[in-house]
């Protein structure tokens, strides 16, 4: 120290203060002095050239501080003051643990006495009275002169956390796109595809990312009532429309039929950023082909049902008229008409069970002859009868059965054998109804409306022929009718040879 | 000797992290907590950050502790490692 400085001290301080200052300097009790420089006071450290390190620490982007082993903050750099919002002077002398809020590890007191290698924790740094910052804290041992202490760095994790949150949100959104069964596309405001779901890529067999929507997905309207809804726009206009306005409920198909004619429901909605500004749109193409097919099938079924109901009503009307014409009494009419309606009902039950898809002949016969299952035997190869033959064949067999119950084998302890075979070209079914064990038969008395109905139905509805031979031992009825293209052999069925009814 | 109910207003002038500055902060905290619990207020002034502040209390050597209150103003220079000397210098009766 120069003599002028000492003189200045003497002038500025009381004699005892000056003496104390000089003594302290000479005794090494201080390690820095204030000297008067050209621009005011300057600090000169006496203990070493640590200035570069001090500047380095002051300018660090992380917070840095030194803490005594008792947890008292001894020094903080400028960045930590910024992070906490408090001046260095206010922080120095505070307890280290008071810097943090929220869940603080219980062993925080040991941070200020860290072992070699240091410790690292993630906690929340208090920032004013209300706020906090997620931070990563590292504390390691350091010696300040002969004083052991802890050197602590505090890194702001808020940017990293935000980046992690964004990455997690991106992964979440990506997984939705990958899992979705609909084709989902994200468009930028210009209509360019920036993201596409797995289903969207499958639809066009390649990644559509980077292409204009209308280029990657050329659409035409699928619903005639919406004709022209797409076609009135140019591709560029349509892309712009999709990317900027909500759009719902348009049924479309891919032009060119690369999608096997599937129908899609096109929807679009704006994609908003945090500031609620439109940054593009989300477009979905939902495959509604199955729904459309179901709708078409339902329409067809309703029409078919209407047709069948009308047919049945016509049949019922015809049966009623014919039965009434040949009935001897009202009771006779009721019995006969009721029996014929039941036969019609059984035929429809069988048709419903097989969904009008054809009925196996053995199964049909079992249903019709079920009231006499013990007394009727059937024998013949498996045959799948077309649905249109079921009602007439059921009516014919009902008449034969009723006739047998009234006058034939079933009116006594008789028996009926029913057999059939397929032969001829074109193929035909030849069915034999043979009654045995009934009362003696006399021809003239038995030819009534039932006999006439059998012959007419076989002739007109089955396009075949019926021969009724009233033999003394019992009725022999031969039915033959073509099986045509609608009749076929049920290959999978086992032979129904000599199967008893029931 | 000041009455025990009066508070101590202390200013410690340091120069960044020089060993004696660090030691002075730690020692002063310890002495105040031991002998003046609840009755002291310490302001730490880092002259490395703002050397002009040295003029306020006419600081020449660092570290320097200034007792502003209670009056009269007292000045202790050094790292405050000698607690007895600090207590005497600040007119604090040892507890």
């Amino acid at each position: 120290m120069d003599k002028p400085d000492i003189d200045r001290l003497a002038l500025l301080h009381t004699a005892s203060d000056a003496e104390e200052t000089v003594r302290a300097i000479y005794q090494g009790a201080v390690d820095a002095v204030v000297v008067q420089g050209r621009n005011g006071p300057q600090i000169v450290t006496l203990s070493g050239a640590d200035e570069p390190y001090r500047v380095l620490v002051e300018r660090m982007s992380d917070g840095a501080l030194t803490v005594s082993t008792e947890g008292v903050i001894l020094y903080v750099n400028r960045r930590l003051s910024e992070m906490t919002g408090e001046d260095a002077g206010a922080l120095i002398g505070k307890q280290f643990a008071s810097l943090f809020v929220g869940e603080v590890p219980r062993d925080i007191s040991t941070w200020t006495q860290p072992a070699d290698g240091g410790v690292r924790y993630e906690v929340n740094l208090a920032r004013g009275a209300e706020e906090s910052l997620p931070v990563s804290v590292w504390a390691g041992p350091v010696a300040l002169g002969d004083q052991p202490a802890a050197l602590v760095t505090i890194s702001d994790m808020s940017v990293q956390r935000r980046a992690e949150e964004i990455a997690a949100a991106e992964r979440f959104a990506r997984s939705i796109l990958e899992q979705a069964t609909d084709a989902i596309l994200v468009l930028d405001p210009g209509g360019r595809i920036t993201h596409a779901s797995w289903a969207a890529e499958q639809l066009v067999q390649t990644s559509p990312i980077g292409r204009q929507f209308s280029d990657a997905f050329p659409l035409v309207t699928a619903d005639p009532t919406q004709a022209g809804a797409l076609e009135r726009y140019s591709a560029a206009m349509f892309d712009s429309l999709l990317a900027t306005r909500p759009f719902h409920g348009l049924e479309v198909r891919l032009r060119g039929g690369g999608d096997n004619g599937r129908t899609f429901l096109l929807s679009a909605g704006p994609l908003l950023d945090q500031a609620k500004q439109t940054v593009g749109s989300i477009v979905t193409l939902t495959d509604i082909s199955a729904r459309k097919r179901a709708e078409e099938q339902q329409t067809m079924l309703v029409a078919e049902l209407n047709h069948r109901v009308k047919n049945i009503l016509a049949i019922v009307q015809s049966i009623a008229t014919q039965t009434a014409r040949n009935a001897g009494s009202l009771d006779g009419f009721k019995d006969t008409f009721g029996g014929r309606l039941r036969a019609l009902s059984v035929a429809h039950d069988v048709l419903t069970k097989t969904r009008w898809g054809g009925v196996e002949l053995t199964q049909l016969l079992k249903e019709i002859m079920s009231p006499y299952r013990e007394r009727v035997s059937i024998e013949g190869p498996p045959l799948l009868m077309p649905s249109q033959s079921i009602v007439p064949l059921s009516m014919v067999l009902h008449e034969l059965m009723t006739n047998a119950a009234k006058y034939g084998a079933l009116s006594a302890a008789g028996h009926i054998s029913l057999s059939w075979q397929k032969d001829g070209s074109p193929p035909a079914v030849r069915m034999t109804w043979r009654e045995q064990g009934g009362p003696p038969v006399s021809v003239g008395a038995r030819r009534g409306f039932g006999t006439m109905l059998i012959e007419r139905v076989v002739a007109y509805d089955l396009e075949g022929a019926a021969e009724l031979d009233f033999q003394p031992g019992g009725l022999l009825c031969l039915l033959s009718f073509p099986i045509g293209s609608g009749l076929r052999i049920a290959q999978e069925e086992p032979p129904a040879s000599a199967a008893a009814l029931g | 000797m000041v009455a025990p109910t009066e508070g101590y207003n202390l200013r410690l002038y340091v120069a960044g992290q020089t060993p004696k500055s660090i030691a002075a902060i730690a020692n002063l905290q310890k002495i105040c907590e031991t002998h003046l619990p609840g009755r002291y207020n310490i302001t730490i002034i880092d002259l490395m950050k703002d050397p002009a502040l040295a003029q306020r209390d006419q600081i020449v050597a660092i570290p320097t502790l200034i007792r502003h209150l209670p009056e009269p103003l007292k000045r202790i220079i050094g790292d405050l490692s000698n607690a007895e000397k600090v207590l005497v210098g600040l007119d604090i009766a040892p507890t």
Side-chain angles (χ1 to χ4, degrees):
Chain A
M1 183 165 292
D2 296 334
K3 189 171 181 303
D5 287 324
I6 302 297
D7 291 340
R8 183 165 60 85
L9 284 177
L11 289 170
L12 290 173
H13 295 77
T14 65
S16 63
D17 281 347
E19 186 182 336
E20 169 68 17
T21 302
V22 172
R23 188 188 303 122
I25 292 170
Y26 282 118
Q27 287 178 347
V30 300
D31 54 10
V33 292
V34 182
V35 297
Q36 198 60 37
R38 192 172 297 170
N39 300 316
Q42 290 183 344
I43 309 303
V44 176
T45 58
L46 306 177
S47 57
D50 60 353
E51 179 65 8
Y53 301 105
R54 198 186 66 76
V55 171
L56 189 66
V57 172
E58 277 298 308
R59 293 185 179 175
M60 275 171 65
S61 58
D62 289 334
L65 62 161
T66 48
V67 183
S68 76
T69 51
E70 286 83 23
V72 176
I73 297 172
L74 303 173
Y75 162 80
V76 301
N77 72 349
R78 190 164 49 198
R79 175 63 183 138
L80 191 70
S81 290
E82 290 170 1
M83 288 165 75
T84 58
E86 288 197 62
D87 290 339
L91 291 171
I92 292 169
K94 269 187 160 180
Q95 275 292 317
F96 174 64
S98 70
L99 291 179
F100 306 104
V101 292
E103 284 188 26
V104 178
R106 289 182 182 172
D107 61 346
I108 190 166
S109 58
T110 65
W111 296 10
T112 55
Q113 299 161 25
D116 284 344
V119 290
R120 183 178 290 281
Y121 287 96
E122 293 197 357
V123 285
N124 289 307
L125 184 73
R127 180 178 170 79
E130 304 278 327
E131 295 177 51
S132 67
L133 275 181
V135 292
S136 172
V137 176
W138 176 85
V142 68
L144 299 174
D146 56 354
Q147 296 277 328
L151 177 63
V152 181
T153 60
I154 299 182
S155 307
D156 181 355
M157 301 292 285
S158 54
V159 174
Q160 187 179 336
R161 289 280 164 80
R162 180 74 189 133
E164 286 170 0
E165 285 170 10
I166 291 170
E170 173 76 18
R171 281 196 299 275
F172 181 66
R174 170 57 56 184
S175 69
I176 290 175
L177 282 183
E178 284 170 359
Q179 298 291 326
T181 53
D182 290 345
I184 302 175
L185 301 136
V186 180
L187 309 189
D188 69 12
R192 195 174 60 90
I193 298 167
T194 58
H195 296 75
S197 68
W198 180 84
E201 292 187 5
Q202 292 301 303
L203 204 55
V204 290
Q205 303 290 311
T206 179
S207 172
I209 291 170
R211 296 170 67 186
Q212 287 297 119
F213 177 81
S214 290
D215 177 40
F217 294 86
L219 301 176
V220 292
T221 46
D223 185 348
T225 63
Q226 297 173 324
L230 280 180
E231 289 73 9
R232 64 170 176 247
Y233 299 109
S234 69
M237 273 177 71
F238 184 61
D239 286 351
S240 174
L241 192 73
L242 273 184
T244 52
R245 292 184 198 169
F247 207 90
H248 294 291
L250 189 61
E251 293 182 8
V252 296
R253 288 201 176 100
L254 275 182
R255 190 184 296 139
D259 56 337
N260 298 322
R262 282 189 281 167
T263 307
F264 300 91
L265 195 64
L266 174 69
S267 299
L271 181 64
L272 306 177
D273 65 6
Q274 283 184 320
K276 306 286 183 196
Q277 295 294 309
T278 301
V279 293
S281 67
I282 300 174
V283 178
T284 56
L285 287 164
T286 307
D287 189 344
I288 56 168
S289 308
R291 198 183 83 192
K292 295 296 286 182
R293 272 199 300 275
E295 284 174 3
E296 285 166 9
Q297 196 171 21
Q298 191 178 26
T299 305
M300 194 187 75
L301 282 175
V302 169
E304 177 69 16
L305 186 64
N306 187 40
H307 173 70
R308 285 177 188 180
V309 167
K310 282 182 177 170
N311 264 354
I312 289 167
L313 288 174
I315 291 169
V316 169
Q317 188 178 30
S318 169
I319 290 172
T321 306
Q322 297 297 334
T323 306
R325 190 177 295 158
N326 292 278
S329 65
L330 186 58
D331 286 344
F333 170 81
K334 280 165 64 180
D335 289 346
T336 310
F337 185 64
R340 285 170 181 161
L341 278 189
R342 276 193 294 280
L344 191 61
S345 173
V346 168
H348 276 276
D349 282 347
V350 172
L351 284 169
T352 304
K353 278 181 196 167
T354 57
R355 301 173 70 85
W356 294 72
V359 180
E360 210 285 314
L361 182 56
T362 307
Q363 189 60 38
L364 177 67
L365 295 178
K366 284 180 180 178
E367 295 281 347
I368 295 170
M369 310 301 283
S370 61
Y372 300 98
R373 65 182 62 174
E374 305 295 334
R375 300 169 66 186
V376 180
S377 62
I378 60 174
E379 182 179 2
L383 271 182
L384 196 64
M385 308 297 286
S387 57
Q388 64 268 24
S389 70
I390 302 305
V391 169
L393 187 57
S394 297
M395 298 307 294
V396 167
L397 292 169
H398 167 77
E399 291 305 322
L400 284 170
M401 192 172 69
T402 305
N403 194 59
K406 281 184 178 173
Y407 315 110
L410 299 179
S411 68
H415 181 265
I416 297 171
S417 299
L418 186 53
S419 61
W420 67 93
Q421 59 189 15
K422 188 194 79 161
D423 64 6
S425 180
V429 175
R430 299 192 186 283
M431 190 177 284
T432 303
W433 171 285
R434 182 187 299 278
E435 297 182 23
Q436 289 171 314
V441 176
S442 68
V443 178
R446 306 294 170 85
R447 293 196 69 87
F449 168 65
T451 313
M452 190 174 67
L453 186 143
I454 291 166
E455 289 170 342
R456 282 187 179 175
V457 168
V458 173
Y460 293 110
D461 293 335
L462 293 175
E463 297 177 349
E467 293 176 27
L468 286 96
D469 184 359
F470 292 93
Q471 296 179 352
L475 172 64
L476 174 65
C477 175
L478 300 174
L479 305 173
S480 63
F481 48 90
I483 56 176
S485 59
L487 290 171
R488 54 193 166 87
I489 295 173
Q491 297 289 355
E492 293 81 5
E493 292 291 324
S497 59
L501 283 172
Chain B
M1 188 69 64
V2 297
T5 51
E6 288 182 33
Y8 281 75
N9 194 348
L10 307 172
R11 282 184 190 162
L12 178 62
Y13 288 86
V14 297
Q17 292 197 84
T18 64
K20 300 223 180 278
S21 294
I22 298 291
I25 295 170
N27 289 330
L28 182 60
Q29 287 282 346
K30 205 182 300 178
I31 290 166
C32 288
E33 267 310 299
T34 306
H35 300 284
L36 300 170
R39 294 195 289 130
Y40 69 95
N41 174 38
I42 299 172
T43 305
I44 308 239
I45 297 159
D46 184 357
L47 293 179
M48 280 292 193
K49 291 182 177 168
D50 190 357
L53 292 176
Q55 291 173 325
R56 185 166 53 176
D57 284 318
Q58 293 151 357
I59 303 300
V60 173
I62 301 169
T64 293
L65 175 66
I66 301 290
R67 188 189 80 177
H68 268 265
L69 287 173
E71 291 182 334
L73 187 139
K74 294 273 188 178
R75 180 186 303 267
I76 301 172
I77 299 169
D79 64 3
L80 313 179
S81 55
N82 186 334
E84 194 177 334
K85 187 182 163 192
V86 175
L87 293 175
V88 171
L90 295 178
D91 283 343
I92 299 169
T95 54

